[in-house]
Structures are given as structure tokens and as C-alpha cells.
Amino acid sequence: MNNLLNKYRKNIYGNFNGKTDNAESQKGSAIVIALLIMVLLLGFVALAVTRTTNETIASSNDAAESRAFEAAHASLEVMTRNFNKIFDVKLNPDTADLTRIEGQIPPGFENYTFTQTVRITQDAQIVVQTGGEFQGLNSLRDEWQLDTIATDSNGVQVQLRRRFFNNRIPIFQFGIFYDDDLEFHPGPRFDFGGRVHSNGSLFLMAGTGLYFSSKVTAVGEIFTDVARNGSPWTNWNENVFVKNASGSYVQLRNNMGSVLSNPVNGTQIYTDPDVPVVYRSANWGSNENLFQGNLLSRRLPLNLPIKIESQINQSAFDYVEIVKRGKQVGDLWNNGTGTPLLPNIVPVTTANADTDVTINQKYANKSGIRVSLADSKAKLPGCASGVGINAVLTPCGVRLDGDSIGLGIDPLLSLPRGYQPLTMSDGYQATELNGERFYQNSPNNRQVWIKIEAVGFNPATGILEARDITQDILSLGVTEPAPTISVSGSTKFQITGYGNKDSRSIIKLQRFLMPGVAVTATDDTNMTSYSWNGITYNLVLTDDCTDSLYTLLCSASVDGGVSYPSGFSGDNIAHRDAANVDGSSRYRRVVPFPINMFDTREGLFNEDTAVFNRSTVYGSNVPWNGVMSMIDIDIANLKRFLDGNYNTTMPTTTPFAIAAGRRLMNTDIPSANGWVFYVSDRRGDYDFDGEYDMEDIYGNNDGLLQAGEDINNNGRLDTETTNEAPRYSLDGLATSSTWKSYISPSAAAVFDHKFYRRGVRLINGTQLPGTYDSANPLNTRGFTFASENGVYVLGNYNATGIGSVGTPTASTAYLPQNTASHIPASIAADAITILSNAWSDTRSFRYPYDRSNRDATETTIRFAMLAGDARSSKNATPNQGGGDPRLTGGVHNFKRFLEDWGSNRLNYAGSLINLYNSHNNNGAFKCCGTVYNPPGRNWVFDSSFLDPNRLPPGTPFFQAIRLTGFQRLNN
């Protein structure tokens, strides 16, 4: 047996001693070895194939899972983005918003199914921000959770979750916020309250007392011994006090600023020659410590996300765009490549239209009502499309100075010029617009167009939508109603058959009477004055009616031959109304006329009589620069409309009513925590850029660019005196061949003009639209008014008075308080001027240069204010005259005035936000000889704004989403 085994071994391996057998034995061994190698190789191949297959399957699974992860992550990003967009429109998302977010899947992942959920994990609460640029500010914070499951067609699935804090910080959280230098130099005590911040420098000095009870911060320096115009602190005083962290007031003396003009310490801080020469204070560190963190310089800037690209200077960004008109496809715009005289006005394309962020931030697009006026139909929002007869006959807004239908054509033959509002369902019909007094033959056959829209974001799509409701709202009227005036039972004024005409007007463009004083010392051809019940009324009488019964003879009578100033025409017969005037046995003819007033600040380039003797230059005339064509917004009538009082009486033949199959109702006006009412009046804006092209505000139109004049920062002095802006003139030189730089007060008061001198005035605003729910703040609805024009607030606004007088009166003492009429309110505008309860348009024309005959009375207003101001300068030569030359007037004159307030108070509760320089009401600050004498400033920060649930609609918010968690839920 052993021999056989050894032989077998030898055949395979050879002899142990290394010797080989014969050839056949060697051949057999090779075959066996080859077979064994083949078997081994086949095993290796099989193993390799098996391993490769397994690795391919595993790799494929990894790739599918990676793609599913990417899909799930994209889902989270889309949900986060859409969630963020909600707060551009409203303060709190509702169920429909969340459902919409859950239904919008990320693009590019069509082979996946998504299960997306959004839920709140912690209800909103007010917290104090503890880090970053918002440190110390209150925010409305809630916590949210986003869950997503992404599944591909093979069943590969990834589940992800994101958690985050949603922080919303309202801009009205500040008592005072300036994006540039912030100046204080009040005479009387000024004690406002609320947090104060400047993205520029702070200039602090005061005559009697300036008190800060909250933190005061500046990105730049704190000046205490020199003002912005280079004047020394001794022109005012050093009575400035800031509370330290312990609550005690500490005086900030003139030598305690972060920079000082003296002593010299190293090199000067600023190289700009228009900034005072100052040096770093060697003692600032120890001085700053006295205030224990409540007075800080050299802070990080608070750069608000609402800053958007300027349409005027596209290399810069300008907060003023927040109050400007929108720019969307279907509109026209000035693309900035031309000049004021030769502008390049072109259609908006998708490439240069407002972005989503811009659309969301502009007040013009906030939920509510938008009113736009322009010189042509094509310049109205969404009306630039179409050519020829189709463009004329396609309804898009209304022409006010054309035929009575308002489609755009001129009236035929001798038919009246002017739009006739539609009759309402209950028979109410408002007065026709007297288009003769608005129409201008030049330049370029300028027309007057208006478009009124209901604006809001569609909750289903998140897209901005605007519906034309022009004819519906105008059916309420365009005229200030004419009163019936009686003296001792005897009728002194009454328009025949007038009834309740014009009693519902919201947007008022004309009136029959101007009460106050006689516009001129003696009657002339433009106006006639009568005194009834101790009040003088001015009216336009065109002729007498020879028929005392006012029958057909009287209604067919011809023009009475009234003369008019250059460029104006007479009134059509149809515009005249027969009236009992002053108890005459014969009827007189009266006509309505535009609403105008005189703004002395805008009208004069210099306040000093020694520099500019108005009586010598103008005599009894007024300069065109100050004649402001007004749109009066009747807040009381607006409230009635929004309350639904006219739901059953609106007309049924308007484009809106025909499209909707029913009349307009108050519920058709979109609301987001209340309403925003926006007005843009660009009549006379020849280059259609939304700014007044008269930057040459110093020195009688000397044509030289002075420091402080280049408002839009485009590096040039923009003046266009042919079509848009009258001259400031010492000699009365003609602005053009037919228009001089001045006009008689009576003509200025009753005719429209061609210039871009437009203002919007809020009247009858004691009670605003909206409501206050003390039990549930989320049900509170407020009211915001916004305009790219200057806004004038006439009389008490959102308040009836104050409960007590303090230093200052607490905001909780403003009446009414915590009732249904305590409305969160704000006004955002190019500039804001306060007119007291005693304001008189007639006095503004009769006494344009004598403030002592423009007396104010105590007035109470309550609203957050977002507006622009003028510019300060160290080197403007010549200057605007008066007190504090070359200065803006400081925050204490941020609200503008035109009256002699004497010892009367202006009671104000709100928030003062200055984000830009005024581009329309751009006249320099002037005080205190000709323009006004300031009121007693009983002003206070409205502490209700510290509750983010009690804010006006459209309030700009800083929004900061802070991610707190991210995880994968499946393996």
C-alpha cells in the first residue's frame, strides 16, 4: 500500500530527492497541474464576479440614497424659502399659507414623491435678541419644524427634519432710527424715549434739556462740541443727559464726545471737507464708561434688508425706493440713461422689472388700495400695453380731463371737459370734475389720468395681483362737499338741488369753497369773498343767473367773460351750478376748482428778508415753487367704505362689477393685519422718475452744485425748468415763454398747474379704519398711509386728545386708549408736514411770508413716521437763511411745520424713522422767521409698538431665521 502511495506522490510531485521520472510521468503531472490551476482561476473569477455584482448593487443603492437625500434637502430649502416669503406680506401665516408650502415640491425632482409637513412647535413669544446686529431688540419669535420624506420610484426613501427660530424685528421698535447722521439741537426740553440709533454719527447739544432714557448707539462718532454745520456747541448748549444702566441720568458735557474739535489729538478723523474737523478724544473710553453701555459709538451698522436698488442712480441703493411706485412688466419707467430735459422713458421688461424682494418690500404693493396719477394712460401701472385706438378704448384707469366717460378722448364740440362719476345704485351721483381747470395744452398735450386698484398677494399663488376699481371708487365722488351756510335763519350759501352730493368722496380733487380769510386783500377776477358767521369764504362766481327760478334760460346762459391767467381757459357751461349766494334775489353761478395750498418752506429758497425781499420781488404774488396741488384723502369716508357702508349701493356697470358679476364690496379690498392706502401722484413729473427736478435749492438758481444739493447722489445738479420745476427767482424771470416764476394768490388757489408740485393731505382722520381687539391682539387690524409724494396731516390724527400733560405725556394717556378705535397706525412718505387743527389754505396764500397770521392750535397725532429729510452741510454757500443754516433741523424738526405754534403744543406718540433724503419736498429746512415757529413738543415713543402684535400693517421687519436643528430620521 505504501509503495502505491509513494508512486502516486512521485507521479505528481516527483521524487523527494529532486529526480524526475520518465517523460510520460512528467506529462501527466503537467496536465494535473494545469487542471488544478484552471479550477483555481475559475474560483477566483467566480468570486470576483460575485463581489463585483455585490459592490455594484451596493454602489447603486448608495447613489440612489444620495439622490434621495439631495431631493429631501432641496425640499427643505424650498419650504424654508416659501416660509420666509410669507412674512413679506403678513405677520402671521395661516392654514392656507402652510398648506401651500406643503404642496410646492422642489423643481428638478419629478421622479420623486414628497411628503412635506410644516408645523409650529412653539407659539410666538416676545424675546430679547442676545447676539448679532439685533442684540437688545425685542423680536416676535416662534419655533417651527419642517419634515420631508423623499421617495424615488424604486422605493428608496430619505426623511429629513429642520428646526428653526423665526425672528421678526419691527423697525418701529426704535424710538428714533436714522440711516445717516442724527442731529439734536433743540431749544425747549426734548424727552422722547425709546431706543435711538444712527447708522451715521450723532450730534448732541441742547438749549434747555435733551433726555435719553434708553440705549443710544451710533455707527460713527458722537459729536458734542461742534454741530454738523461747523457751528460751536455754544450756539445751543450742553444740556444733554443719558440714563446709565442703573437708571440715573448722567450729563454729557461738551468735552465728552468720542471726537472733539479741540484739542488736536493726532490726525483729523474725516478727510471730507464737508464734515467738521475733529480728532479722537483721548478720554472717550472713560467718558463712555460713565453711561454703562447706554451711549456707544463705532457700533456695527444695522443694515436693513429692505434697502433696494435706486431707479435714479442704479449704482447705489436707496431706502427711498420703499415708498416709490413699482416697476413691473406693463409699466413704463425712466431707465436713467437720459437727462431731466431729454429722458429715456421705456417699457419695463422682465430683465429690469422689480425683483420678488423689491415687490414685497414696496408700500405700493402692500395689501389694500393703490392710487396712481400720471400725465398719460401709458404711465399708469399696467396700462402701457396696446397702441392706437385699442390702447385708447381699452379700460385701464380713467382720464379725468377728457370727455365725461373717461376713456381718454377729448370732448367733442363744446361738450364739457371732465370725468362724470357713475351713478350709484341708490341714485347718488357725485359732481363732475371741472376738467377745464386741470387741463394743460403743454407740454406735449399733458393729460390727467388716475387708476385705483385693490392690491394684494393671491394666497393660492403668492403672486401680487391688482384689480382696477377706479370707476367704483370715483363713483363716491371727487369733490369736497359744498355746505349750506345760514346766518340767523337766512340762507347765505346753498347750491340748488345739491342734496347729499359729494358727501361720500374719499379721493378729493376739487372744491366749491375755501374757508378762512380772503385770499387777496381785494376781490379780483379769479375769486370772490363773503363773510358769514365770522368766517370768510372764497368761491368762484362765473356769472349771474337772470332767471331767479333757475329754469332752462338760466342753465343755458353763456360764459360771463371771466379773464384767466396765462395758459388757462374758461369753464364750460356744464360745470356751473346755480347757487343762492349771500341771499341774493338772483342765483349766481359757482364752479368747483382744484385743491391747492401754499407751502412756504418749498416756495422760498431763502428765509432772510435781507437776502431775499419778497415784497420787492413778488409784490402780492406767490412763487410757483410753493403752490402745492393737493389730493385730499377723507379718512372718515374711507373708513365708511372699508366698514362696508356702501356694499349695497356701489354701481354695477364698472369693469370690475362686470367681470366679477357683482358690485364692489369692502371685502374685495385685501387686508393683511389691516390696510395700506398708497398714493403716487406724478402729474407734472416730466421725466417720470418720481423726484422733483429742482436740486438747485441754494442761491437763486446759480447753477452751481453746492454741498447738500445732490439728493439722488448721481453727481450732477438736476434742474429742469422748462416742463417740471419753476425757478427760484430774485427777479421774476420767466420759467418758460408763458410761465413766470410767480402768480397771483387767487389764480394759484383755483387752477391746476403743469409742475411736479404735488402733495397728498389726510383730512378727517381722528378715527382710522381698523379695530383694536384688547382680548386677542392677533385680531387687531391697523391702517397705514403711504406715498412717494409729500404727505400733509391736517388736524388730529388717530387721536382725540390726551388725558394729561406730562414731560412728556405717556403714550398710554393718548385717547382713545385700549378701545376699538385705538388703531395701530403709520405714515410712510417722501416727507411729512403737520398742519394744526387751525390750518387754513386761504391764509397760506394770503400770508405766505407772515407766519404770525398763520396761527396754530393744539393738535394731537399718533402714528409711526417713516419719511425723508433735507441734507446738512458744512460748506453750502449761500445757505437757506434763518436759524441753524445748512442744517436739516434735527430730529426735533423731522416733522415739518408751516404755522406759528406759539405756546401751543403738538402732542405726538409714535416712532421716528428717517431712512432717506426727500426727493420731492426737497426744499431746505428753514426756521424760524418766515416759515414757522415750532410747537411745544410733547412727543413720546409709542410703547405699544414694543408688542409686535400691535403694529401697523406693512411695517418693515428685519427677519432673521436662526437654524436650531437638522437631522435625518431614517437610516
Side-chain angles (χ1 to χ4, degrees):
M1 183 70 182
N2 289 334
N3 291 332
L4 291 173
L5 181 59
N6 289 334
K7 183 178 182 181
Y8 175 72
R9 290 174 175 169
K10 290 178 181 178
N11 288 335
I12 298 177
Y13 301 107
N15 294 325
F16 292 116
N17 58 9
K19 297 180 179 178
T20 61
D21 292 329
N22 55 33
E24 290 187 4
S25 297
Q26 293 177 3
K27 290 179 181 179
S29 297
I31 292 172
V32 173
I33 292 172
L35 289 173
L36 287 174
I37 292 174
M38 289 180 65
V39 170
L40 290 172
L41 290 174
L42 288 172
F44 286 131
V45 170
L47 179 62
V49 169
T50 301
R51 182 172 181 179
T52 301
T53 302
N54 290 338
E55 289 179 348
T56 301
I57 294 172
S59 177
S60 178
N61 288 339
D62 287 343
E65 189 171 340
S66 295
R67 288 194 297 270
F69 184 91
E70 293 172 1
H73 191 264
S75 168
L76 287 182
E77 294 301 324
V78 169
M79 285 195 290
T80 303
R81 182 198 65 187
N82 290 336
F83 181 91
N84 190 60
K85 288 172 66 177
I86 293 172
F87 297 92
D88 290 327
V89 182
K90 62 177 68 174
L91 188 58
N92 297 293
D94 55 29
T95 302
D97 295 319
L98 302 183
T99 300
R100 186 177 67 254
I101 293 173
E102 293 171 344
Q104 294 179 338
I105 65 174
F109 295 92
E110 287 75 14
N111 294 327
Y112 289 82
T113 59
F114 294 89
T115 302
Q116 303 180 136
T117 58
V118 183
R119 69 185 185 92
I120 189 169
T121 57
Q122 179 179 302
D123 290 334
Q125 56 182 325
I126 298 174
V127 300
V128 179
Q129 295 291 300
T130 57
E133 61 183 354
F134 302 120
Q135 182 175 0
L137 296 176
N138 290 339
S139 72
L140 188 66
R141 170 186 288 178
D142 37 39
E143 188 176 32
W144 292 80
Q145 179 175 297
L146 307 178
D147 287 320
T148 183
I149 304 173
T151 307
D152 72 5
S153 57
N154 294 317
V156 178
Q157 190 176 86
V158 171
Q159 301 178 33
L160 297 179
R161 170 174 292 170
R162 171 176 285 172
R163 295 187 183 91
F164 59 87
F165 286 135
N166 181 46
N167 296 294
R168 285 146 289 161
I169 304 100
I171 195 172
F172 297 139
Q173 185 113 142
F174 289 90
I176 302 170
F177 180 100
Y178 268 50
D179 191 52
D180 56 3
D181 292 340
L182 175 52
E183 303 166 32
F184 289 90
H185 44 83
R189 177 182 174 122
F190 189 86
D191 186 350
F192 188 69
R195 181 168 172 176
V196 176
H197 176 80
S198 167
N199 271 346
S201 292
L202 275 166
F203 294 81
L204 303 177
M205 47 207 71
T208 303
L210 172 61
Y211 294 84
F212 298 98
S213 56
S214 297
K215 181 177 287 189
V216 179
T217 55
V219 172
E221 303 293 344
I222 294 176
F223 291 70
T224 54
D225 70 340
V226 62
R228 177 66 181 80
N229 64 355
S231 297
W233 67 273
T234 50
N235 284 11
W236 297 276
N237 215 315
E238 60 176 359
N239 296 314
V240 181
F241 301 86
V242 181
K243 275 187 178 180
N244 61 21
S246 302
S248 300
Y249 279 111
V250 178
Q251 185 174 10
L252 179 69
R253 296 190 178 277
N254 76 88
N255 61 350
M256 292 173 61
S258 67
V259 292
L260 298 170
S261 61
N262 186 53
V264 174
N265 178 31
T267 59
Q268 67 184 62
I269 300 300
Y270 299 100
T271 59
D272 184 348
D274 196 39
V275 178
V277 175
V278 290
Y279 308 88
R280 291 204 186 278
S281 169
N283 299 319
W284 173 239
S286 58
N287 291 335
E288 187 179 37
N289 289 336
L290 296 175
F291 303 95
Q292 300 173 340
N294 278 354
L295 180 65
L296 302 172
S297 67
R298 305 163 197 164
R299 300 294 97 186
L300 291 174
L302 294 180
N303 293 320
L304 308 184
I306 59 176
K307 185 171 284 192
I308 47 185
E309 184 178 339
S310 169
Q311 291 187 25
I312 306 303
N313 180 10
Q314 288 149 42
S315 63
F317 289 83
D318 195 338
Y319 282 128
V320 76
E321 292 297 323
I322 198 174
V323 295
K324 286 290 194 71
R325 273 194 191 184
K327 180 164 61 76
Q328 301 176 53
V329 174
D331 301 345
L332 296 179
W333 75 302
N334 182 328
N335 68 6
T337 61
T339 65
L341 185 59
L342 297 171
N344 195 14
I345 302 172
V346 297
V348 176
T349 66
T350 53
N352 50 44
D354 287 342
T355 64
D356 287 345
V357 172
T358 304
I359 290 171
N360 290 329
Q361 297 297 344
K362 288 190 173 184
Y363 277 101
N365 301 326
K366 301 294 185 180
S367 297
I369 296 176
R370 179 169 68 196
V371 181
S372 306
L373 288 95
D375 292 339
S376 69
K377 179 180 179 179
K379 290 180 179 178
L380 293 176
C383 296
S385 303
V387 295
I389 192 66
N390 291 329
V392 174
L393 298 180
T394 302
C396 196
V398 162
R399 183 181 176 189
L400 294 172
D401 65 338
D403 68 358
S404 61
I405 300 175
L407 286 179
I409 61 175
D410 286 318
L412 301 176
L413 301 176
S414 60
L415 294 177
R417 181 180 293 279
Y419 176 68
Q420 173 63 67
L422 297 178
T423 304
M424 298 182 71
S425 298
D426 61 352
Y428 170 95
Q429 184 170 38
T431 299
E432 182 178 17
L433 188 88
N434 186 353
E436 309 294 346
R437 290 183 176 248
F438 288 85
Y439 178 67
Q440 303 287 329
N441 279 318
S442 62
N444 302 326
N445 294 318
R446 198 204 81 178
Q447 302 173 352
V448 180
W449 284 82
I450 186 171
K451 186 176 185 181
I452 307 169
E453 300 165 282
V455 178
F457 285 84
N458 187 317
T461 63
I463 297 175
L464 179 70
E465 294 182 354
R467 293 180 292 178
D468 191 334
I469 57 172
T470 310
Q471 295 185 39
D472 309 82
I473 297 299
L474 292 185
S475 71
L476 298 168
V478 294
T479 309
E480 173 69 24
T484 294
I485 302 172
S486 298
V487 178
S488 301
S490 174
T491 300
K492 293 299 183 181
F493 182 85
Q494 184 178 47
I495 297 178
T496 303
Y498 193 71
N500 68 338
K501 261 190 175 184
D502 307 318
S503 61
R504 302 172 182 175
S505 303
I506 296 174
I507 301 169
K508 299 179 177 181
L509 298 167
Q510 63 182 11
R511 57 187 166 191
F512 286 97
L513 296 173
M514 289 181 67
V517 298
V519 171
T520 57
T522 58
D523 290 345
D524 61 19
T525 58
N526 296 303
M527 301 199 79
T528 305
S529 302
Y530 294 94
S531 182
W532 303 312
N533 293 323
I535 301 174
T536 299
Y537 292 88
N538 300 267
L539 63 160
V540 175
L541 299 177
T542 61
D543 57 90
D544 288 346
C545 257
T546 57
D547 184 347
S548 61
L549 297 178
Y550 188 60
T551 58
L552 184 61
L553 266 179
C554 199
S555 63
S557 147
V558 295
D559 194 318
V562 178
S563 61
Y564 300 97
S566 60
F568 295 118
S569 59
D571 299 289
N572 190 282
I573 294 173
H575 295 130
R576 303 173 195 160
D577 285 292
N580 180 342
V581 180
D582 205 33
S584 172
S585 59
R586 295 187 303 172
Y587 283 90
R588 309 294 300 274
R589 303 262 213 166
V590 297
V591 294
F593 48 87
I595 299 174
N596 297 322
M597 59 166 276
F598 187 77
D599 184 327
T600 304
R601 169 172 171 157
E602 295 298 311
L604 300 178
F605 77 90
N606 194 289
E607 179 164 273
D608 292 339
T609 303
V611 175
F612 178 43
N613 190 322
R614 273 80 67 178
S615 61
T616 300
V617 177
Y618 293 136
S620 59
N621 297 310
V622 293
W624 270 120
N625 262 298
V627 180
M628 308 301 293
S629 171
M630 306 301 293
I631 301 173
D632 280 357
I633 305 297
D634 192 314
I635 301 299
N637 280 345
L638 174 63
K639 182 180 184 331
R640 294 184 184 100
F641 168 74
L642 291 174
D643 285 346
N645 288 16
Y646 308 128
N647 281 354
T648 61
T649 57
M650 298 299 287
T652 58
T653 58
T654 68
F656 172 89
I658 293 171
R662 58 172 175 78
R663 55 175 56 91
L664 178 71
M665 302 178 68
N666 66 324
T667 52
D668 291 312
I669 308 302
S671 170
N673 304 314
W675 303 273
V676 173
F677 195 104
Y678 176 83
V679 176
S680 164
D681 186 355
R682 290 195 179 181
R683 290 177 293 163
D685 184 14
Y686 179 75
D687 60 346
F688 200 60
D689 60 0
E691 68 175 37
Y692 180 55
D693 290 323
M694 177 47 69
E695 290 185 336
D696 197 2
I697 60 174
Y698 295 135
N700 190 28
N701 298 132
D702 56 15
L704 302 176
L705 179 59
Q706 302 284 344
E709 289 185 326
D710 185 14
I711 294 297
N712 58 24
N713 299 305
N714 65 358
R716 70 187 184 206
L717 187 68
D718 288 331
T719 60
E720 202 286 280
T721 59
T722 300
N723 305 301
E724 183 169 323
R727 291 171 51 91
Y728 290 103
S729 180
L730 288 174
D731 53 16
L733 292 175
T735 294
S736 66
S737 59
T738 56
W739 293 78
K740 292 185 180 297
S741 62
Y742 56 80
I743 192 172
S744 72
S746 63
V750 297
F751 291 98
D752 195 17
H753 53 70
K754 70 176 182 178
F755 304 115
Y756 190 31
R757 297 269 71 187
R758 308 291 165 179
V760 187
R761 186 163 56 183
L762 308 183
I763 64 173
N764 301 326
T766 299
Q767 186 172 352
L768 305 185
T771 186
Y772 172 66
D773 189 333
S774 57
N776 185 359
L778 295 178
N779 291 333
T780 295
R781 292 197 294 178
F783 178 72
T784 290
F785 189 88
S787 178
E788 67 175 352
N789 305 105
V791 168
Y792 297 75
V793 182
L794 175 55
N796 290 348
Y797 190 84
N798 195 30
T800 57
I802 55 176
S804 61
V805 178
T807 53
T809 297
S811 62
T812 53
Y814 279 67
L815 306 175
Q817 186 70 211
N818 294 328
T819 71
S821 299
H822 182 186
I823 306 301
S826 66
I827 299 176
D830 181 74
I832 296 176
T833 302
I834 307 303
L835 307 175
S836 80
N837 287 309
W839 172 262
S840 165
D841 288 346
T842 57
R843 286 184 175 274
S844 74
F845 284 114
R846 176 73 181 273
Y847 306 110
Y849 319 125
D850 181 6
R851 65 170 172 79
S852 66
N853 276 297
R854 303 191 306 273
D855 290 332
T857 57
E858 180 173 348
T859 302
T860 303
I861 55 179
R862 175 169 52 180
F863 59 86
M865 172 179 172
L866 192 160
D869 63 353
R871 280 191 165 175
S872 287
S873 169
K874 176 173 171 284
N875 295 322
T877 304
N879 57 60
Q880 80 276 26
D884 306 332
R886 300 184 301 280
L887 292 180
T888 68
V891 70
H892 43 291
N893 290 303
F894 183 35
K895 290 184 287 293
R896 304 182 182 192
F897 308 105
L898 297 172
E899 298 168 271
D900 189 340
W901 287 79
S903 60
N904 292 300
R905 290 190 308 271
L906 174 67
N907 307 311
Y908 170 74
S911 170
L912 301 173
I913 309 298
N914 172 226
L915 298 182
Y916 42 82
N917 297 119
S918 299
H919 287 54
N920 281 318
N921 282 33
N922 68 341
F925 161 77
K926 303 175 186 72
C927 185
C928 296
T930 302
V931 177
Y932 76 100
N933 187 38
R937 299 182 181 97
N938 184 27
W939 299 2
V940 67
F941 171 63
D942 190 339
S943 59
S944 69
F945 293 148
L946 295 176
D947 180 357
N949 294 309
R950 288 277 291 120
L951 288 164
T955 295
F957 274 80
F958 313 97
Q959 189 192 7
I961 287 183
R962 179 184 172 189
L963 301 180
T964 59
F966 176 83
Q967 67 182 115
R968 179 170 176 172
L969 301 178
N970 65 334
N971 294 325

